[in-house]
Amino acid sequence: MIALEIAGLSKTYGSVRALDGVDLTVEAGTVHCVLGENGAGKSTLCHAVGGSLTPSAGSMSLFGTRYAPRRPKEAIAAGVAMVHQHFSLVSTLTVAENLRLLRVGGLAARLERLADRYGLAVPLDETVGDLPLGVRQRVEIVKALLREPRLLVLDEPTGVLGPAEVDALLTTCRRIADDGGAVVLVTHKLGEVARVADVATVLRGGKVAGSGLTDLSADNLIPLMIGRPADDLAPVLAGTLGLSEVVVRDERAIDQAPVLSLRDISVTRPGGGYLLENVDLDIAPGEIVGVAGVEGNGQTELIHVLSGALVPDAGTVELAGEDLTRATPARRTAAGLGVVPEDRHHEGCVPELDVATNLYLGRLGEYRRFHVLLDKKAMRSAATAVIEKHGISAPGPAAPMSALSGGNQQKVVLARELALDPLVCLAAAQPTRGLDVGAVDAVLGRIRAAAAAGAAVLVVSSELGELLALCDRVVVAYRGKLSEAIVAAAPGAHDKIAHLMIGATA
Amino acid sequence: MSAVLEEILSGGVRLAAPLLLASAGELVSERAGVLNLSVEGMMLTGAFAGAAGAMVTGSAVAGVACALVAGLLVALIQAILSVTLRADQIVTGITANALALGATTYGARLLFTDGSSLEGFAALPIPVLSEIPLIGPALFEQTALGYLAFAVAAALAFGLSRRFTWGLAIDAVGEDTLTADRCGLPVRLIRYAAVLLTGATAGLAGADLALAEVHAFSDNITGGVGYLAVVAVIAGRWRAWPTVLACLFFGVAQALQFAAPAVGLHVPAPLLVTIPYVIALLAVSGLVGRSRAPSGLTVPFARTA
Amino acid sequence: MIAAVRHPVFVGAVAAIVAACAGLLLAAGAGTSPAVAVDALVEGMTGTPYAIGSSLNTAAVLALIAAGFTVAYRAGLVNVGGEGQLCVGGVTGAAAGLALPQGVPGWIGVPVVLIAGFAGGAAWASIAGLLKAKRGTSEVITTLLLNFVGAGVLALAVHEEALLRQPVTSAETLPQSAPLPPGARLPLIGSIESPATLIVVLAVAAALIVALVLRHTPTGLRLTAVGHSPAASARLGLGVARLEVGGLAVAGGLAGAAGACLVATAPYVLAEHFSSGYGFTGLVVGLLARGSLTAVLAIALLFGLLTNGGINLQLAAGVPAASVQVVQSLLVLLIAASMIWTRKGAR
């Protein structure tokens, strides 16, 4: 039985075609994966199905009847449930209050059934904002299943989950399909597809690049996703795509004294407890150290302590012998500490301003005329040189950052931080998140080159494969603590780290 | 001394009645994410319409009905502007107040020319209870509108509780419109309802001023009481019972102005007038307790994906 | 074609026509023929040198406040507190002016009053700025509240002899300050019959300087960056707190200077309602101008003309001045309502 049938769906924003004549058929009782790189149109497709946006052309039908939701409410009424990439929970309300907003009868009985059937138990009386991301995701799924939907759509649900949580989620998807429901899992991770999908559809550039695929091997899917053969892929990209076989770089001897030292760093949580607890970390020049872990285990705070957005309650940050614990971001930059923040749009750049400003905002004093006026011309010509050097695809230095693709935005941010002279240390948080394959390649190449040139490098990532391929050593963040460092090239490193990520002692 | 105290209390509660009405509606509206600065204009229009209605029909009850409709009309304008057209809530609020002030002043020139007193509401003391010393006159010697104010404030304070789905829904819309929308809540409808509710209660508050307090309409009769209602919500940190308390306290502070000279106390009036705003400032800046405005306050809702 | 229909100037013109029609209806309601009403209005706006002068003075007050508003707005802060800053600036300006000796020369007296007004307004706004920077309290709410506290400060100052009230000699002594010494009064510019003062020059200069700073200096770009993204600006080494407090202080300072100018204009006294609500009108001018200083000057001029035209409408034609207030607010509401439409056109 056909659960969802989409025919010729298009969505245009001005001259941009986010979706271009997409066809999709989802059978009941199956898990259907929709694959694609960032910008392929996956989220737009989800929004169209969920009633958040009205398509420009095309039609949909749900279990044989015409389906054209104009708002989320209509989608819900038709039996479609969405699990959004960005959570749709009110963070100031408790879990129970969020669930009650759905106004379904017999809440307690339904929750019990979900807990029995899928093992989905949620802490009802906790405030959502206080919960770890993994638990919030579970609440989100419970919320979606409460109304017993006929079609469940999950948009990139595994981004914030650890390996064990991903397993649980995929199992849940499988069970729902086995119970006769239809599941659409939207993702860019091939590893998940191979494990759970019955059928896959690949989107590229808003169009269907492959449909009704049952050969779910990476060799088959990668060329459809990126438009070129899989052999081109650098080994590290396999990690980013969530493939299981990862090529680990060779072990190197690091013999220099550490240049970045974190000593006994603690950050307390406002409500009690620790966000970071007695963290020690040393990185030597030329060394790349990775921080693995499920999101929300202190990585964000660690980067904030380095960038100066957060002053730790205890401990010290030293760079080349200088105490930077309480230094302003400007002082840190001057000392040679570059930081690529996790949230590119919020902290990494000012999307509304032009590329040149985003490159030189911290150094406007160097671009002056008549002592007081800003020399925009000089700034823009300097920016043009950077754009060319880093292969950034942008209309020009005066184009707003928001006009650039995610990958090119990240290249601008990275170019800015790498331009520090001297660059003593580079800390990058989730540097490849949301980037297409080509950009991942470029960004990781730049990070490697920085290390080769003698910078100490810290990379925070939730993609274990990526870290193993990139780093010399990996530490694992769990509940605000960092584990002992694990040499990435050591045998069994992958399993050991995966264990530490869920709090098991290796 | 106790007579003076009794007078301050009863005067305070009487002055708090319009505040209670207006801030009860305003609280709902702000919890739903719409900052109705135009509550001042709603009250003023309500007072005008109440006075005009009472004058034309000779019935105070008809006046109250007119006030209700007038408050709703101003609220409808505010709702169309800030919810449907997503216009800036501060500009539209302040300007709606200016419009109401101009229109009612203009109307008063044409309508209220003889300056005679209006048919209004008299106090309805409740037997026995109003004899209780100190608080008796304050609580049990109100006009019908005064009792209504208590009832409305209590009903809204109770109804906003998160035990009820509508209380939850209002908070969800005020915190995060997109999430509320994805939960299937009718975001615009809820915001419209909240703003219109404010219009209704503010219209009644205006009627209370014109028909139960002054028994006449004068230019700018509200003179900032509407803003004071907004301030009470801020001082009450967007929670129901503290807002009610703030209203009562503000009423007593006002009554003190009139009573202070009687006991030979020289407190400069401007100081007393300023107290509510200073309290609200302390409350909102977190110097007294923790305070957090709804995250979606003044943020318009647009479903752009 | 559609682009033309959506152009802000076109939309503004339509709004103006609608509001004007409403105005004529109001005049007719008061028993005045449209021709008489229009005559009286125009007479009051620009009919005499006196009319032009007082329209310009009002426009200048609004332009000063709106120019300041634009600075803070660029840093992402909405300064709702112009009214309170105006009041406090008037108080500090008057205090400074009254402290000067009677024979003080103008080149000392006028700057002292202006600087005192600026400082008072800036300090008042900085309260909100510091609360925003240190505690994250919404400046919309704090500046709104500070308006009322500022009005209280003003009332206290003019009611208490220990502060600025003139010596009380009889029951008829008004609660206002003594007149400023001649050297502390703003000099007139232009012809003898025109009341236009130095404030007109100050307002234009302030608008020009603000435009230059915002568009062509590093400080302007830093303010813009903070306005768009405080987090990213902090990461890039900008002093976000300093820029926010500074932006709001300049907004308050210009409003305070406007208050001092009002006190230093005939009748040269500080009185309880000297602000005439200009702080709120200035805010509306600033918000409607959407960051353009040209628009600030143009809208301030329009509002100045309308205000003075309205006064004459009442005096000469017997139409309540309130009807001009109605027209003005209708105009603002229509423009605010149409912004969703003009914004789409701009895209």
Side-chain angles (χ1 to χ4, degrees):
Chain A
M1 184 172 191
I2 293 170
L4 175 70
E5 183 151 36
I6 295 177
L9 202 71
S10 297
K11 178 70 189 176
T12 51
Y13 296 101
S15 58
V16 182
R17 309 206 107 190
L19 282 181
D20 191 358
V22 168
D23 298 321
L24 181 73
T25 306
V26 180
E27 294 276 347
T30 64
V31 176
H32 192 124
C33 277
V34 175
L35 267 163
E37 288 203 83
N38 274 77
K42 292 173 298 180
S43 282
T44 311
L45 183 67
C46 286
H47 285 304
V49 175
S52 295
L53 64 78
T54 318
S56 313
S59 65
M60 295 186 275
S61 69
L62 195 68
F63 291 94
T65 51
R66 205 179 86 85
Y67 173 64
R70 282 165 303 168
R71 52 184 69 100
K73 198 181 172 179
E74 294 179 3
I76 293 166
V80 176
M82 304 285 303
V83 173
H84 291 274
Q85 190 176 0
H86 304 289
F87 295 135
S88 53
L89 299 169
V90 182
S91 57
T92 51
L93 299 182
T94 65
V95 173
E97 286 169 340
N98 266 288
L99 297 179
R100 274 171 46 213
L101 278 176
L102 302 179
R103 285 161 294 165
V104 292
L107 188 61
R110 284 179 193 239
L111 283 173
E112 206 170 308
R113 221 169 333 166
L114 287 178
D116 282 353
R117 181 78 185 96
Y118 305 112
L120 291 168
V122 289
L124 286 173
D125 296 325
E126 302 267 351
T127 302
V128 168
D130 297 340
L131 294 173
L133 293 172
V135 181
R136 280 194 228 186
Q137 177 71 291
R138 209 182 320 141
V139 176
E140 189 76 33
I141 290 165
V142 166
K143 191 177 141 189
L145 294 180
L146 263 187
R147 281 189 269 217
E148 292 165 5
R150 298 190 285 174
L151 173 68
L152 177 67
V153 183
L154 304 106
D155 187 4
E156 300 272 8
T158 57
V160 299
L161 302 183
E165 289 166 318
V166 171
D167 285 346
L169 175 75
L170 297 182
T171 311
T172 305
C173 288
R174 190 68 258 162
R175 287 232 180 120
I176 294 167
D178 292 347
D179 289 352
V183 178
V184 175
L185 178 66
V186 174
T187 183
H188 69 280
K189 293 183 186 170
L190 295 170
E192 293 167 7
V193 178
R195 281 162 62 194
V196 73
D198 297 301
V199 193
T201 297
V202 177
L203 292 183
R204 191 171 75 236
K207 293 183 179 166
V208 175
S211 62
L213 306 166
T214 47
D215 173 2
L216 302 174
S217 67
D219 287 344
N220 186 34
L221 295 177
I222 288 176
L224 293 171
M225 264 176 86
I226 64 174
R228 56 193 164 110
D231 311 341
D232 284 7
L233 279 182
V236 66
L237 295 178
T240 304
L241 290 170
L243 296 178
S244 41
E245 313 115 59
V246 168
V247 187
V248 176
R249 66 184 289 190
D250 297 333
E251 185 169 359
R252 297 187 298 152
I254 302 291
D255 42 15
Q256 280 177 277
V259 65
L260 175 77
S261 297
L262 303 187
R263 280 288 159 270
D264 221 13
I265 297 276
S266 288
V267 174
T268 48
R269 190 188 288 277
Y274 287 98
L275 289 165
L276 284 177
E277 190 177 354
N278 305 334
V279 165
D280 289 301
L281 191 64
D282 291 294
I283 308 180
E287 191 184 21
I288 306 181
V289 173
V291 178
V294 177
E295 265 187 67
N297 276 295
Q299 299 98 316
T300 306
E301 289 75 19
L302 181 66
I303 289 292
H304 280 166
V305 164
L306 286 173
S307 74
L310 185 66
V311 176
D313 297 296
T316 54
V317 178
E318 263 187 30
L319 186 69
E322 184 183 355
D323 184 351
L324 290 179
T325 317
R326 294 173 174 274
T328 61
R331 177 74 210 105
R332 289 165 202 249
T333 305
L337 174 59
V339 178
V340 177
E342 171 183 333
D343 187 339
R344 193 163 51 233
H345 293 280
H346 189 58
E347 286 177 72
C349 68
V350 186
E352 295 86 352
L353 296 182
D354 62 26
V355 175
T357 305
N358 272 288
L359 282 170
Y360 298 116
L361 189 58
R363 301 159 49 184
L364 293 181
E366 295 168 27
Y367 297 93
R368 288 198 203 197
R369 284 185 302 154
F370 312 118
H371 298 293
V372 289
L373 298 187
L374 185 64
D375 192 346
K376 285 186 196 163
K377 219 167 135 192
M379 219 167 87
R380 284 186 184 156
S381 65
T384 308
V386 173
I387 289 174
E388 275 169 21
K389 182 179 160 204
H390 285 256
I392 296 165
S393 154
M401 278 293 265
S402 55
L404 274 60
S405 73
N408 285 302
Q409 289 175 350
Q410 189 71 317
K411 285 185 196 170
V412 171
V413 173
L414 198 61
R416 184 182 70 212
E417 303 300 327
L418 290 176
L420 299 189
D421 188 24
L423 179 68
V424 181
C425 174
L426 177 74
Q430 314 287 0
T432 62
R433 173 171 297 167
L435 305 193
D436 57 43
V437 169
V440 169
D441 209 5
V443 165
L444 294 181
R446 291 277 171 195
I447 291 177
R448 277 220 186 87
V457 176
L458 178 76
V459 178
V460 172
S461 174
S462 45
E463 306 296 343
L464 182 46
E466 177 177 297
L467 287 178
L468 286 172
L470 183 67
C471 302
D472 298 298
R473 295 184 293 144
V474 175
V475 294
V476 180
Y478 183 73
R479 298 206 174 151
K481 292 187 182 180
L482 292 189
S483 71
E484 287 295 306
I486 292 155
V487 176
H494 182 280
D495 291 347
K496 208 169 163 187
I497 294 170
H499 267 92
L500 287 169
M501 280 170 78
I502 55 171
T505 40
Chain B
M1 189 64 209
S2 85
V4 176
L5 207 57
E6 197 170 273
E7 193 183 318
I8 292 174
L9 276 182
S10 74
V13 172
R14 215 181 58 237
L15 289 166
L19 268 180
L20 273 174
L21 276 168
S23 55
E26 178 68 19
L27 175 62
V28 175
S29 178
E30 288 196 27
R31 287 269 281 257
V34 184
L35 178 67
N36 267 318
L37 289 180
S38 57
V39 68
E40 171 84 11
M42 297 172 191
M43 270 181 83
L44 187 55
T45 314
F48 175 82
M55 190 182 76
V56 170
T57 62
S59 149
V61 175
V64 170
C66 291
L68 194 71
V69 172
L72 282 171
L73 267 178
V74 180
L76 186 63
I77 296 174
Q78 174 74 62
I80 291 173
L81 285 167
S82 55
V83 182
T84 304
L85 296 172
R86 307 202 294 273
D88 187 282
Q89 295 182 9
I90 297 162
V91 171
T92 52
I94 289 176
T95 312
N97 292 341
L99 180 65
L101 179 58
T104 55
T105 307
Y106 174 90
R109 289 284 167 286
L110 302 187
L111 217 55
F112 306 118
T113 42
D114 55 355
S116 61
S117 185
L118 288 166
E119 187 67 29
F121 288 92
L124 299 172
I126 297 175
V128 186
L129 289 179
S130 61
E131 306 293 321
I132 302 173
L134 223 55
I135 58 162
L139 297 180
F140 304 109
E141 211 177 311
Q142 299 293 320
T143 62
L145 280 177
Y147 294 123
L148 182 67
F150 293 160
V152 167
L156 286 179
F158 186 62
L160 270 177
S161 158
R162 288 185 181 168
R163 270 172 297 173
F164 303 111
T165 314
W166 59 74
L168 271 181
I170 287 170
D171 278 348
V173 167
E175 285 292 331
D176 185 346
T177 49
L178 284 176
T179 296
D181 183 49
R182 286 174 181 168
C183 291
L185 293 174
V187 175
R188 290 197 186 87
L189 191 73
I190 290 175
R191 285 195 159 178
Y192 257 89
V195 176
L196 288 175
L197 181 73
T198 314
T201 62
L204 289 178
D208 183 78
L209 274 183
L211 299 176
E213 276 289 312
V214 187
H215 290 263
F217 180 83
S218 55
D219 292 354
N220 199 14
I221 185 175
T222 48
V225 180
Y227 283 113
L228 199 56
V230 177
V231 171
V233 173
I234 298 169
R237 295 185 246 151
W238 293 273
R239 297 206 312 262
W241 291 112
T243 301
V244 169
L245 272 183
C247 289
L248 290 171
F249 181 79
F250 291 179
V252 171
Q254 271 179 288
L256 261 178
Q257 282 173 59
F258 306 116
V263 289
L265 204 65
H266 178 72
V267 185
L271 279 186
L272 287 173
V273 173
T274 314
I275 287 175
Y277 307 104
V278 176
I279 290 175
L281 206 54
L282 292 177
V284 79
S285 55
L287 297 176
V288 182
R290 277 185 52 165
S291 166
R292 209 185 59 82
S295 334
L297 190 60
T298 77
V299 182
F301 165 61
R303 190 188 292 129
T304 46
Chain C
M1 178 61 206
I2 284 175
V5 169
R6 288 191 164 181
H7 192 277
V9 171
F10 177 82
V11 172
V14 171
I17 292 169
V18 173
C21 291
L24 290 179
L25 278 177
L26 288 175
T32 308
S33 80
V36 174
V38 169
D39 269 355
L41 186 71
V42 173
E43 180 80 15
M45 286 175 169
T46 56
T48 61
Y50 180 86
I52 296 175
S54 50
S55 297
L56 283 178
N57 278 349
T58 309
V61 172
L62 299 180
L64 273 176
I65 298 168
F69 174 89
T70 305
V71 175
Y73 200 53
R74 193 57 70 95
L77 302 174
V78 180
N79 176 30
V80 190
E83 184 76 9
Q85 293 144 11
L86 189 80
C87 290
V88 172
V91 170
T92 52
L98 289 167
L100 293 171
Q102 272 302 318
V104 66
W107 60 271
I108 295 181
V110 171
V112 163
V113 169
L114 288 176
I115 290 169
F118 187 96
W124 202 243
S126 298
I127 299 174
L130 288 171
L131 283 172
K132 168 81 181 176
K134 299 287 170 207
R135 308 191 69 103
T137 316
S138 159
E139 80 289 349
V140 172
I141 288 167
T142 50
T143 53
L144 177 70
L145 293 172
L146 283 168
N147 280 333
F148 301 102
V149 184
V153 168
L154 169 63
L156 197 64
V158 298
H159 275 103
E160 297 297 316
E161 264 186 280
L163 298 170
L164 293 177
R165 187 172 187 174
Q166 59 187 339
V168 178
T169 50
S170 73
E172 275 96 62
T173 304
L174 292 172
Q176 61 185 31
S177 75
L180 294 190
R185 302 173 183 178
L186 285 189
L188 298 178
I189 56 170
S191 69
I192 303 291
E193 307 94 85
S194 160
T197 66
L198 191 64
I199 188 178
V200 179
V201 181
L202 288 176
V204 174
L208 285 176
I209 292 171
V210 166
L212 184 76
V213 168
L214 290 185
R215 215 175 297 162
H216 294 290
T217 66
T219 308
L221 194 49
R222 289 184 189 121
L223 281 170
T224 312
V226 168
H228 285 304
S229 173
S233 303
R235 163 80 272 286
L236 289 170
L238 304 191
V240 173
R242 215 178 52 230
L243 286 162
E244 283 183 342
V245 175
L248 212 47
V250 169
L254 286 176
C261 286
L262 281 173
V263 175
T265 306
Y268 311 112
V269 295
L270 180 73
E272 193 163 352
H273 295 291
F274 84 98
S275 70
S276 311
Y278 288 150
F280 286 117
T281 316
L283 155 71
V284 170
V285 172
L287 268 169
L288 289 183
R290 283 196 268 169
S292 152
L293 273 305
T294 318
V296 162
L297 290 179
I299 298 173
L301 184 62
L302 175 68
F303 279 29
L305 289 169
L306 275 175
T307 306
N308 284 280
I311 294 170
N312 197 55
L313 201 56
Q314 179 154 15
L315 292 177
V319 180
S323 53
V324 168
Q325 191 174 22
V326 172
V327 171
Q328 198 171 315
S329 356
L330 266 181
L331 182 64
V332 174
L333 286 182
L334 286 169
I335 292 175
S338 66
M339 274 191 179
I340 190 174
W341 170 261
T342 48
R343 263 197 299 256
K344 261 186 201 158
R347 222 184 269 167

